[in-house]
Each structure stands twice: as structure tokens, then as C-alpha cells.
Amino acid sequence: MKISKRFANVGDSSTLKITALAKSMKSKNIDVAILAAGEPDFDTPNEIKDAAIKAIKDGFTGYTPVRGIPELLELICEKFKRDNNIEYKNENIIVSTGAKQSIYNVLQALCDEDSEVMILAPFWVSYIEMIKMTGATPVVIDTALDNFRLNFKRIEEKITPKTRMIIINSPNNPTGVVYTEKELRDFADVVVKHNIYCISDEIYEKIIYPPHKHYSLASFNEQIKNLTFTVNGLSKTYAMTGWRIGFLGGEKKLVEKTLMVQTHSTSCTSSISQKAAVAALKTDESVAGKMISEFAERRKFVLDFMKTVDGVGYIEPMGAFYLFMDFRKIIERNKNLFADSEALCTKLLEEYNVAVIPGGAFGAEGYLRISYAASKEEIKKGLTRINDFIKKHI
Ligand SMILES: Cc1ncc(COP(=O)(O)O)c(C=O)c1O
């Protein structure tokens, strides 16, 4: 078998792998608690579905401009202005097949084989593999050493003439950490000082728990705005994961190049989903608000439960819908039974029927991530089983 060198060491997505395995166990009537997927368990709101049905009935089923339909681009510009204090015009925007594709497009358009791209661990699983797919080299900064906050000395030490780009993600998947305005302003200064590009992945922007607040990197000044691609999407906020709508905003000329990647690979995203996206962005705040309040309740439920659990540390989530738990001590004590977080998660799934994601996949060995984008019953069942496991192995 001959495959491209670029793909030789690209790994699978353990999030999708574990979720698929857990779902197949469930289809065999095994009572698995699935706390793995980064996917809201809510159905897409009806007014959004209705817009898609109307699009189909109206015959709005052909190709659209690659960048997206003007109506949607305008709403995205309004959203960026209203929520993020960033002025973009339609020419600064690309609508793509999920935020995932927006990130992929930027990396493909901007990276060379000898480029370095910095990511902050723990990181979303796909960043590192997407970087490898461009032929560039991922350079990892371990934020676990700094209580998951930004350490500029560590970042600047690893910047070289080859550094093309840095990816930042707040609220963060998997930790739920939200960076403060001060941290982000200082980060912006570093990016501008070294003149590197930046992807600011803000997909969890709306799922944030007071008093924490979201700040957009590109809103601080013109210089950082011109270096930053602000990536967002509808998957998490509107329970629209399967509709595949993501978007980015960025400097016009860079966006034009990025658009070429999409033009020659997938063209526009689905015309029907774009009409659904128009409806989503027009909904009253209460539509997403209801789901966000439910996440806040589940978060409280998880944190109350965790007060009864001894033996593992965790980060109190400030945003997103994940709890990142520290199993390093347990792994250390039980090395003969499970050598790493992946072996631990396999054991949890096969023997305790609970699906969670190993920290190793996020560049944080010894940790594991649970998702509380699941019903309270499912969360309770899963956490109880995890607690049984902890009690046995502590
Ligand atoms: C941090 C982060 N960025 C981007 C995405 C991609 O989302 P989508 O492609 O569904 O818009 C995800 C999805 O899990 C994510 O967690």
C-alpha cells in the first residue's frame, strides 16, 4: 500500500471512535452511559427545521456561491458586530461545512511543509491532525503546567522564524477554561509582535457560565484583526451538528486564498442548511438560551456530584460542556491494569459501561474528558459508574 507521506502519521479521532463503539454496544442492548460526544443531545429547534423544509419545497436545492448565500453572510456580519464587536463585510466571510472545515481551509491555505503551527494543549483533537495533513509541524505548548492558563514566556520561547500560525480556543474543549480579557489582550500583543497568523476558535462562545465572559481576539485592534481568522459555527449553540454550518471571518486577501481551498474541494455547503442557518441566526435569543440554561443546570449537577467523589481532581468548567478530570494518580497506582488514559477509557467502557474520552487524545495524558451534553439520567448513571471505578482503584 502506498499512501502520501503527509497522511502516514495522521491519527483517527478518538472522540468519534469511542462514540461509535459505545453506540454499537448500545445497539446490542448493552446499557452504556455515553458521556463522550461533543454534541448537544437536543433536537434542532422547529423554526430552523421549518426553514430547511421550506427551502426544499421552494426548490432551493442547487449550488450556491462557494462563500455562502449573501443573506447568510449579512447575518453573520451582523452577528460578529453584535456579539463580538468585530466589523466584517461579506467579503471577509466564508461559510463552510462546519467550523471544522473553516479551520482546515485556513491551515491548507496558509501553511507550507516547513511551517510550524503552535497549539495549546489540551487541544481539540482535530487541530494536530489537520496540521499534519498540511505537511507542517505541530508545536505543542503544555498549558497543564500553568493550571491551563496562558504562559507567554513558554509561548514566546517556542516561536521561531518558521512559526506561521497559532490556534487558540476559548471556551476550551476539553477543559472548559475561558481566557480573561487581559489574557487575550496579552496574547494578541504576542501574536502581533511576532507577526504570526492566528485561528481563534470561538465555537463554544455562547455556552459560557457567569461571571465568565467571552472576548473575541480580533476585536482588540486592527493589527490583531488582520492576523486572525475568527472561527465559529452553529453546531453547538443551536444543536445543529449534522447540518454542517461553520464560518470564519478574516482579512480580505487571506480569506480569498482560503476560499480557493473550499472552491476546489467541496464548493458551497448545503443550500438547505444555509437557509436553516439564516433562520437560526434570526431566532430570538431565548431559543439558544433555553439550551444554554439546561447546560448550566447540568454543569451544576455534575459539580455537585463531584463534591461526593474522592481521589480525582478536575477543572471547574467556565464554558463549553465538558468536565476534564485528572486521573494521573489513579493511573500511576494501577499501571499494571491500565498504562495510560486510553487503556483506562477502554476499561471504563468495557467493564463499567461508560464512554468517556482519554486525555491523551487532547495532548493531556493522564486526564479524561466527560461531556455533559447528555440527559441528567445519563450523566448520573455515567458519573456513578466512574465513581465506582475510582473507589476500586484508588
Ligand atoms: C473546539 C472545537 N472546534 C471546532 C469544532 C467543530 O465543530 P463543527 O465542525 O461541527 O462546526 C468542534 C466540535 O467538536 C470543537 O469542539
Side-chain angles (χ1 to χ4, degrees):
M1 186 173 77
K2 282 194 177 153
I3 50 165
S4 94
K5 284 197 200 81
R6 278 178 293 112
F7 276 73
N9 63 355
V10 172
D12 203 350
S13 158
S14 36
T15 326
L16 299 183
K17 210 161 77 185
I18 295 225
T19 309
L21 190 60
K23 281 189 180 162
S24 97
M25 285 169 76
K26 214 161 202 169
S27 72
K28 288 178 197 139
N29 285 332
I30 301 171
D31 172 30
V32 197
I34 305 183
L35 304 182
E39 173 167 33
D41 57 322
F42 307 117
D43 198 0
T44 305
N46 277 332
E47 52 264 67
I48 301 175
K49 287 187 190 170
D50 289 345
I53 293 166
K54 183 168 182 317
I56 296 173
K57 291 206 168 138
D58 289 350
F60 193 74
T61 51
Y63 293 131
T64 75
V66 176
R67 186 189 284 285
I69 53 176
E71 188 187 8
L72 178 56
L73 298 175
E74 273 150 34
L75 282 165
I76 292 170
C77 291
E78 277 172 31
K79 178 249 168 306
F80 273 128
K81 177 83 193 110
R82 182 183 63 239
D83 299 344
N84 309 97
N85 195 26
I86 313 173
E87 299 265 4
Y88 287 130
K89 297 195 185 113
N90 289 13
E91 64 195 24
N92 299 105
I93 309 293
I94 304 174
V95 179
S96 54
T97 305
K100 197 174 217 171
Q101 193 192 14
S102 287
I103 299 166
Y104 181 79
N105 286 345
V106 173
L107 288 166
Q108 285 294 339
L110 269 63
C111 293
D112 284 311
E113 302 238 326
D114 63 351
S115 305
E116 291 174 356
V117 180
M118 291 178 112
I119 47 176
L120 306 161
F123 44 74
W124 179 46
V125 291
S126 290
Y127 298 149
I128 193 159
E129 308 303 339
M130 286 196 212
I131 296 165
K132 289 188 214 158
M133 281 154 83
T134 70
T137 306
V139 174
V140 178
I141 311 287
D142 187 4
T143 68
L145 301 171
D146 300 293
N147 202 20
F148 304 100
R149 312 302 314 188
L150 300 177
N151 178 323
F152 300 106
K153 190 165 169 281
R154 258 190 241 288
I155 293 174
E156 287 201 274
E157 267 168 13
K158 291 222 177 161
I159 294 178
T160 74
K162 290 184 177 173
T163 308
R164 182 68 54 90
M165 179 170 272
I166 182 160
I167 306 180
I168 190 164
N169 170 220
S170 177
N172 181 271
N173 173 9
T175 60
V177 163
V178 171
Y179 301 125
T180 62
E181 181 181 4
K182 160 105 179 65
E183 254 174 325
L184 287 170
R185 282 190 184 274
D186 291 347
F187 178 80
D189 289 345
V190 171
V191 172
V192 170
K193 177 174 154 198
H194 294 277
N195 197 31
I196 50 183
Y197 297 122
C198 180
I199 293 176
S200 179
D201 179 350
E202 305 184 4
I203 187 101
Y204 294 100
E205 147 196 49
K206 297 278 183 189
I207 304 167
I208 198 158
Y209 311 105
H212 303 286
K213 275 185 77 180
H214 176 72
Y215 293 90
S216 286
L217 200 65
S219 70
F220 295 144
N221 57 57
E222 272 309 292
Q223 288 154 300
I224 187 67
K225 184 181 165 197
N226 288 335
L227 291 170
T228 301
F229 292 85
T230 309
V231 172
N232 212 320
L234 304 187
S235 291
K236 317 287 177 180
T237 310
Y238 296 97
M240 288 179 70
T241 45
W243 298 79
R244 309 311 297 130
I245 294 283
F247 49 87
L248 62 76
E251 194 274 330
K252 182 174 172 264
K253 287 212 184 83
L254 295 174
V255 165
E256 257 160 34
K257 275 291 156 213
T258 302
L259 189 62
M260 291 304 113
V261 182
Q262 189 162 309
T263 300
H264 297 298
S265 54
T266 59
S267 299
C268 62
T269 190
S270 146
S271 57
I272 300 152
S273 295
Q274 290 189 64
K275 284 286 188 185
V278 166
L281 288 173
K282 282 185 179 167
T283 53
D284 186 87
E285 264 189 22
S286 64
V287 172
K290 253 188 253 156
M291 295 188 267
I292 295 162
S293 312
E294 180 64 30
F295 285 132
E297 262 187 47
R298 291 173 187 182
R299 170 184 180 269
K300 183 173 177 320
F301 180 81
V302 167
L303 292 177
D304 285 345
F305 190 102
M306 290 310 291
K307 284 184 195 138
T308 69
V309 175
D310 289 325
V312 294
Y314 57 90
I315 308 166
E316 214 171 272
M318 301 159 213
F321 38 61
Y322 307 108
L323 184 79
F324 207 52
M325 295 181 177
D326 183 356
F327 271 74
R328 284 175 303 175
K329 276 193 200 134
I330 293 197
I331 293 175
E332 184 60 38
R333 276 187 210 133
N334 297 275
K335 264 192 191 144
N336 52 332
L337 293 175
F338 36 87
D340 57 20
S341 58
E342 181 155 353
L344 186 154
C345 288
T346 307
K347 198 172 174 65
L348 268 174
L349 183 57
E350 288 173 354
E351 294 178 27
Y352 289 75
N353 292 348
V354 50
V356 295
I357 309 293
F362 306 100
E365 186 44 66
Y367 292 80
L368 60 85
R369 186 197 79 177
I370 74 151
S371 159
Y372 52 88
S375 70
K376 274 207 195 109
E377 297 73 57
E378 190 89 348
I379 297 170
K380 185 168 178 200
K381 198 169 29 171
L383 285 178
T384 307
R385 291 174 186 177
I386 293 172
N387 198 18
D388 291 343
F389 174 88
I390 294 171
K391 283 187 204 146
K392 180 132 189 256
H393 295 96
I394 198 165

